[in-house]
Amino acid sequence: MKFLISRIQHLVSLPQESWRRLALLGLGTLAFLTYAALLAIGLTIAHQRESEFAQRNLENLARVLEDHAHSTIDKIDTILLGGQLHLSPLRDKYSVDVNASLARHLQLIASESQSLRVADAQGRFIYDAAGQTADARISDRDYFRRNRDDRSGRLIISEPLFARITHNWVITLSRRLEDSHGNFAGLIQAAIRTEHFQNFFASLNLGDGQSVALVDEQERLIARHPAVPSRIGERVSHPKIAELIRQQAAYTSFTTRSALDGIERLYTVRRVGDYPFYVVVGHAPAHFLTNWRQQVFWASLSAALLAAVLAGWIVVWLRTYDRAREIAQGMTRAYETTFRRTRALLDSLPDPAWLSDRQGLLIAVNDAYAALSGKAVDAILGQPVENALPSRLGQALAALAGEALLQQCQQKQTGDLHCDDGGQHHYEFIATPVFDDRGMIAGVAGVARDITQLHEDQQRIRHLAEHDLLTDLPNRVLLTEHMASALAETLGNHAELALMFLDLDHFKNINDTLGHDIGDQLLLQVAQRLSASLDERDTISRQGGDEFAILIRGHGAPARLATIAQRLINAISHPFVVAGHELRVGASIGICTYPSDGNDIGSLLKNADTAMYQAKAAGGNTYRFFTPEMNLRISERVTLENNLRRALYGDEIFVHYQPQTDVRNGRLIGFEALVRWQHPELGNIPPTRFIPVAEESSLIYQVGERVLREACQQNRRWQAMGLPPVVVAVNLSAVQLRQPDLPQRVARILAETGLEARWLELEITESAFIHDTERIIDILLQLRAIGIKLSVDDFGTGYSSLGYLKRLPFDRIKIDQSFVRDLPADGDDVAIVRAIIAIAASLQKEVIAEGVEQEGQREFLLQLGCALMQGYHFGKPASAASAEALLRAMAQS
């Protein structure tokens, strides 16, 4: 090298040397610099591209992990909220089987949580879904103290704990329980196994050099893949993560060496919603830059070879000026060698690469480029870029190269190519201008990378993020995007845009009786029928559970929406066959239109949901259009439900008793127990108003059990006073009949109150056994076996089959007051009442008429053969003291 430098200095100092020497030396240097520049540019571009791809993949993976952790916590918290409501002081008072209830709740989150327990105010476990409570105490746990001190009742999430009972690492989620005075009564707790996250991470099948982890806001490790069991619960601190937590930010990215395995990685950290968890995903540059390092090696090797060739060629040429012709020939050979090696370098690249001059003519291509074009290399060189490749692709590359020459900077573009086998490949094209030593444009260097696999991975991740995992229908996120797009397209126009909210009727019964697997298969068939009943431009989305939202475009007149809704109801009303079971469900649909029912996405969703609940209230299997009055009714219903919850903890709910009389001798034969609600501000609220709300909100279980217990206690109290024993009738709601353990509950109340079963009568509305008749018959037979009397209430209003009625184990049939009210003037009512009395006689059942208010009604019913009556003519519903007075009067007569 010193010799080469000295020869160059000597040549420069000789004025008589020919300019050809300097020109030749300059050309050699320029060729090397150009080649080195092309290599450096290509390597820089490749490094940047590989890093960007790795970063995007980490971001997408972090979002998927965030969604999984968020949905896991939300699902468990929903169960905790339900359990918090279920564990009321009223249920504790009446010894409800809490363990069995917790077990049913735990089945809903069995894949996420290993336990569901209730602890009292001293930290002792008093209930456990496993059926047996452990002796361990949790009063020393931080999450117990936080529940005790925080009166807000919010969700409390613990640090990673090593469970004392199950001896594994868990995270507990808990909510505060309060007594009737609002004091701390304990907590309900679920435990997420760290293995739940660990197994999910392992299921992702991450490549070499990748890692995922979940840490809390104290930077304590919860789960990681690759697994490090010995470090679970330890702090794995890093300044970047600490800064993200301190600033309450949602996202950060950095490169560092792992404290767990010492591997340097590019990391992306995302916060899990508003929860104190952070997802950390990393990928080692040593793995995602493997191809790039190979390119660096071959580029460095080729540059070194080229430098050596040029240096040797110049040294030889400078040593003997007299052998100029030989040197010239050596230059030619060196140029050819350089070209071959340049071609070899290009061929070493796995992606198509090329060089073109300022006129857009190809001067070098690699084998991958030739394979893409389908032509031989010799046939390509010297041709314009647009002639070397398929027309559309070639034109795009020529335009990109022209833009690089015009802008004198690197240009990027993506494109696709249809292959002969019918497939499609996606490419990323990069065109970089090449400058000579004078700063002038010499040509364009380009490379095309096949990103088909990356494109497919991104599409798959996007599909998973925007579609329901069970039905593959769009989820709430994609529906929101479609609605936003539709609103943007129709803004300012008189567009026809509508939203339907569909909920399946009686779907919960299928899940409870046949299991969630059958329910999931049924949902799949429902989704298929709905999709087949809609146009391609409509969007159907599963919102969760058995709820679906349907976006309708260009619906025309409102009558058209009614036709579509009825078509969907009809499609679902046909029987489904799932795993050998023939299942029937209905559908309730709420409909709202844009812009009359809302001019934004949130309003349309809320109003369609409101209309759907009105369809439910109308009996289901129908549809309702949204009206502004619905919001008022819903608001009133929510207020009434909240007041009813509060009333159950006080003395606002009580029982009145209405006498039942045998008019043949005027003797009192029993009472009907009727629930009453005296609100401190609204006054007396009739049962017809609050009982439907109680049934919809499941508060009817508490109301019904309270009335039954109080009626039994009162009747037993009268008997203890020595008063004549009579039967007390209590109404059972159709909702209460869905309880599989109803006979056991009634038997327990009789045992606790000491009342013999023969002095209790249960009244069941006729409409209650129209659906699921076989199961209802089984429950009634169990109640009858206890010794309880049974009666059909409101007979004639439920359209029940006489064949079923014959099978039902009833003692008495009760004529509904709607048929008694207009007796004996109304001929239709006379015919109906005469028929009911005849049916009762043929079935050898007692018959009693309710709503008797006039002497004429009493005499007419007695003539028809109905001697048992109830109504204002004999006495209004009154307090237990008034009923006691009637019993004393009967005892003295």
Side-chain angles (χ1 to χ4, degrees):
M1 183 61 69
K2 292 182 178 179
F3 173 77
L4 177 61
I5 295 174
S6 64
R7 290 295 294 169
I8 293 174
Q9 291 175 344
H10 176 69
L11 288 173
V12 172
S13 65
L14 297 176
Q16 64 270 35
E17 289 291 339
S18 172
W19 62 269
R20 293 186 181 88
R21 297 183 179 183
L22 297 178
L24 191 56
L25 182 60
L27 287 174
T29 304
L30 176 61
F32 178 79
L33 292 177
T34 300
Y35 182 77
L38 290 174
L39 289 178
I41 292 171
L43 292 174
T44 301
I45 293 170
H47 185 279
Q48 179 181 358
R49 184 172 62 251
E50 296 287 353
S51 299
E52 289 175 354
F53 287 154
Q55 182 69 45
R56 286 197 295 269
N57 284 336
L58 289 179
E59 292 173 0
N60 292 333
L61 180 58
R63 290 191 185 95
V64 171
L65 296 177
E66 178 197 3
D67 290 342
H68 174 263
H70 198 290
S71 64
T72 296
I73 298 173
D74 283 349
K75 182 176 179 181
I76 294 178
D77 190 28
T78 301
I79 296 301
L80 293 179
L81 285 170
Q84 188 182 47
L85 294 176
H86 187 74
L87 293 171
S88 65
L90 182 62
R91 287 188 174 275
D92 291 340
K93 179 180 177 183
Y94 296 146
S95 303
V96 175
D97 190 357
V98 178
N99 286 343
S101 177
L102 291 177
R104 288 192 298 270
H105 283 77
L106 181 59
Q107 289 178 0
L108 301 177
I109 54 172
S111 63
E112 294 85 3
S113 176
Q114 69 178 18
S115 64
L116 187 60
R117 302 187 178 101
V118 176
D120 62 14
Q122 286 73 43
R124 297 188 299 266
F125 286 114
I126 57 176
Y127 299 111
D128 195 317
Q132 296 181 350
T133 56
D135 293 332
R137 285 178 175 259
I138 59 171
S139 56
D140 60 331
R141 294 293 198 186
D142 178 67
Y143 69 83
F144 178 87
R145 295 192 291 268
R146 289 164 61 192
N147 274 287
R148 182 190 61 200
D149 299 334
D150 188 353
R151 300 181 65 87
S152 67
R154 64 187 177 89
L155 178 66
I156 299 299
I157 303 177
S158 75
E159 71 276 17
L161 301 173
F162 191 76
R164 297 169 177 170
I165 300 174
T166 57
H167 304 293
N168 64 331
W169 283 95
V170 297
I171 300 171
T172 66
L173 278 67
S174 55
R175 281 189 176 271
R176 172 189 177 102
L177 299 177
E178 296 182 350
D179 59 19
S180 60
H181 302 291
N183 297 322
F184 177 65
L187 56 82
I188 180 171
Q189 171 209 90
I192 307 177
R193 301 182 298 271
T194 58
E195 289 88 351
H196 170 69
F197 298 105
Q198 192 78 41
N199 295 337
F200 179 75
F201 294 166
S203 69
L204 297 177
N205 296 322
L206 301 177
D208 295 337
Q210 290 188 272
S211 69
V212 294
L214 181 67
V215 300
D216 65 6
E217 60 184 2
Q218 299 300 324
E219 300 178 72
R220 289 172 292 222
L221 183 64
I222 298 171
R224 184 181 185 271
H225 181 80
V228 283
S230 62
R231 300 296 296 273
I232 300 297
E234 295 185 9
R235 189 176 182 186
V236 286
S237 178
H238 188 275
K240 287 287 187 179
I241 301 179
E243 180 181 1
L244 177 71
I245 297 173
R246 184 174 60 255
Q247 295 179 356
Q248 294 294 305
Y251 169 82
T252 189
S253 180
F254 56 91
T255 299
T256 189
R257 189 173 297 279
S258 171
L260 299 177
D261 55 16
I263 298 176
E264 184 181 45
R265 293 185 177 92
L266 171 64
Y267 287 98
T268 292
V269 183
R270 290 189 66 86
R271 182 171 182 171
V272 180
D274 295 327
Y275 296 118
F277 298 112
Y278 296 83
V279 173
V280 183
V281 297
H283 197 176
H287 289 84
F288 69 76
L289 291 179
T290 299
N291 292 335
W292 180 81
R293 287 195 173 93
Q294 292 178 354
Q295 296 177 26
V296 171
F297 170 79
W298 288 111
S300 300
L301 180 61
S302 64
L305 291 174
L306 179 61
V309 170
L310 289 175
W313 171 69
I314 293 174
V315 168
V316 170
W317 188 87
L318 292 176
R319 279 182 174 178
T320 171
Y321 177 71
D322 294 335
R323 299 173 57 191
R325 184 178 299 276
E326 294 180 8
I327 292 176
Q329 294 174 350
M331 288 176 59
T332 301
R333 290 192 299 270
Y335 176 79
E336 292 175 350
T337 301
T338 301
F339 180 80
R340 287 194 301 271
R341 290 178 176 173
T342 301
R343 171 66 187 280
L345 174 62
L346 291 177
D347 286 340
S348 68
L349 298 176
D351 301 318
W354 68 93
L355 292 173
S356 62
D357 59 19
R358 287 179 296 181
Q359 287 72 41
L361 301 179
L362 294 170
I363 57 176
V365 297
N366 64 357
D367 289 338
Y369 187 94
L372 181 63
S373 68
K375 301 177 181 178
V377 174
D378 294 340
I380 295 174
L381 296 180
Q383 296 291 322
V385 173
E386 58 268 28
N387 293 347
L389 295 174
S391 59
R392 189 168 63 88
L393 183 60
Q395 293 171 2
L397 290 181
L400 187 67
E403 190 67 19
L405 291 173
L406 179 62
Q407 300 294 334
Q408 296 191 10
C409 63
Q410 185 182 89
Q411 302 294 319
K412 292 183 179 181
Q413 180 179 325
T414 58
D416 51 62
L417 178 64
H418 294 278
C419 302
D420 295 337
D421 59 2
Q424 187 178 35
H425 283 255
H426 297 272
Y427 286 91
E428 180 183 52
F429 304 106
I430 301 174
T432 304
V434 179
F435 300 90
D436 59 20
D437 56 352
R438 296 174 299 172
M440 302 297 292
I441 292 290
V444 175
V447 65
R449 182 180 184 187
D450 189 338
I451 58 171
T452 303
Q453 185 61 48
L454 175 63
H455 182 271
E456 292 175 352
D457 291 343
Q458 291 176 340
Q459 290 295 106
R460 180 173 57 84
I461 293 174
R462 180 180 177 86
H463 185 85
L464 290 174
E466 294 179 342
H467 289 77
D468 176 54
L469 293 178
L470 175 63
T471 63
D472 202 39
L473 292 175
N475 59 15
R476 187 185 298 268
V477 174
L478 188 55
L479 176 67
T480 301
E481 292 182 5
H482 284 196
M483 290 182 66
S485 175
L487 289 176
E489 293 173 0
T490 60
L491 190 62
N493 300 326
H494 297 289
E496 297 167 349
L497 191 65
L499 184 69
M500 295 184 180
F501 213 90
L502 183 149
D503 184 88
L504 298 180
D505 299 330
H506 313 302
F507 178 75
K508 185 177 183 299
N509 294 341
I510 295 174
N511 265 350
D512 292 344
T513 57
L514 299 178
H516 289 274
D517 290 339
I518 299 297
D520 287 346
Q521 294 180 48
L522 175 60
L523 287 175
L524 277 172
Q525 294 190 27
V526 168
Q528 293 168 1
R529 288 193 187 179
L530 292 176
S531 299
S533 303
L534 294 169
D535 294 337
E536 292 183 356
R537 57 182 176 176
D538 300 330
T539 300
I540 176 172
S541 164
R542 184 185 178 211
Q543 299 294 289
D546 59 342
E547 293 180 339
F548 298 85
I550 304 159
L551 180 64
I552 306 293
R553 304 191 190 195
H555 55 77
R560 168 69 174 162
L561 289 176
T563 301
I564 295 174
Q566 190 60 51
R567 184 168 71 237
L568 297 178
I569 292 173
N570 294 340
I572 293 177
S573 64
H574 295 296
F576 293 87
V577 177
V578 180
H581 300 277
E582 183 175 302
L583 306 177
R584 291 179 181 269
V585 293
S588 298
I589 299 177
I591 308 171
C592 67
T593 59
Y594 167 85
S596 59
D597 298 332
N599 54 14
D600 59 73
I601 296 171
S603 298
L604 290 173
L605 283 171
K606 178 178 74 68
N607 293 339
D609 188 43
T610 299
M612 183 271 293
Y613 275 108
Q614 292 301 307
K616 285 277 189 186
N621 207 36
T622 187
Y623 60 87
R624 287 291 184 270
F625 284 87
F626 173 78
T627 60
E629 292 77 10
M630 286 185 180
N631 276 332
L632 179 60
R633 288 199 295 270
I634 292 298
S635 177
E636 292 177 349
R637 181 203 173 282
V638 172
T639 302
L640 192 65
E641 178 183 336
N642 292 334
N643 287 336
L644 182 57
R645 291 183 187 277
R646 179 180 54 79
L648 287 170
Y649 294 103
D651 299 326
E652 299 177 24
I653 302 295
F654 54 91
V655 179
H656 274 179
Y657 300 88
Q658 186 172 29
Q660 297 175 334
T661 305
D662 187 340
V663 298
R664 290 171 298 194
N665 54 24
R667 187 170 182 82
L668 180 69
I669 62 171
F671 294 98
E672 180 178 2
L674 300 170
V675 64
R676 294 293 184 264
W677 180 10
Q678 185 66 32
H679 193 278
E681 298 174 358
L682 302 177
N684 181 43
I685 300 177
T688 55
R689 185 177 174 192
F690 71 83
I691 289 298
V693 174
E695 289 180 335
E696 292 178 15
S697 60
S698 296
L699 291 175
I700 192 64
Y701 298 126
Q702 300 179 44
V703 174
E705 190 167 325
R706 180 166 181 167
V707 172
L708 179 61
R709 185 180 295 276
E710 186 169 336
C712 292
Q713 287 176 338
Q714 184 61 58
N715 199 7
R716 182 67 185 91
R717 194 177 296 119
W718 287 332
Q719 294 179 11
M721 295 177 183
L723 298 176
V726 293
V727 174
V728 174
V730 179
N731 289 281
L732 276 186
S733 165
V735 177
Q736 290 176 274
L737 285 173
R738 297 175 188 167
Q739 296 176 285
D741 60 343
L742 178 63
Q744 292 76 16
R745 290 174 178 268
V746 176
R748 184 168 59 249
I749 291 176
L750 288 173
E752 292 172 357
T753 58
L755 181 68
E756 294 182 33
R758 60 179 174 151
W759 302 117
L760 174 63
E761 179 180 329
L762 297 179
E763 295 186 2
I764 295 93
T765 304
E766 182 187 6
S767 60
F769 50 81
I770 293 177
H771 300 288
D772 202 5
T773 307
E774 296 299 331
R775 188 179 66 84
I776 298 300
I777 291 176
D778 181 63
I779 290 178
L780 294 179
L781 288 173
Q782 294 182 52
L783 292 171
R784 182 69 175 276
I786 297 173
I788 299 170
K789 296 180 180 295
L790 301 174
S791 66
V792 181
D793 194 12
D794 300 336
F795 185 77
T797 63
Y799 311 105
S800 62
S801 166
L802 292 178
Y804 279 130
L805 185 62
K806 182 179 179 180
R807 297 173 56 197
L808 294 171
F810 287 109
D811 302 286
R812 180 182 293 173
I813 294 177
K814 199 169 191 179
I815 303 174
D816 185 66
Q817 60 182 340
S818 63
F819 303 128
V820 177
R821 186 180 300 115
D822 295 327
L823 290 178
D826 191 303
D828 292 336
D829 287 343
V830 170
I832 292 174
V833 170
R834 182 177 285 114
I836 294 175
I837 294 174
I839 291 172
S842 66
L843 295 176
Q844 298 181 349
K845 309 289 185 184
E846 290 184 348
V847 62
I848 182 172
E850 64 176 348
V852 179
E853 300 180 357
Q854 303 171 9
E855 177 63 22
Q857 294 170 341
R858 185 192 74 82
E859 293 179 356
F860 185 75
L861 286 167
L862 187 58
Q863 292 174 5
L864 293 179
C866 177
L868 306 182
M869 302 182 194
Q870 170 185 343
Y872 283 7
H873 185 69
F874 307 101
K876 295 182 179 181
S879 65
S882 299
E884 180 182 329
L886 292 176
L887 288 173
R888 291 188 183 278
M890 184 176 72
Q892 296 171 1
S893 61

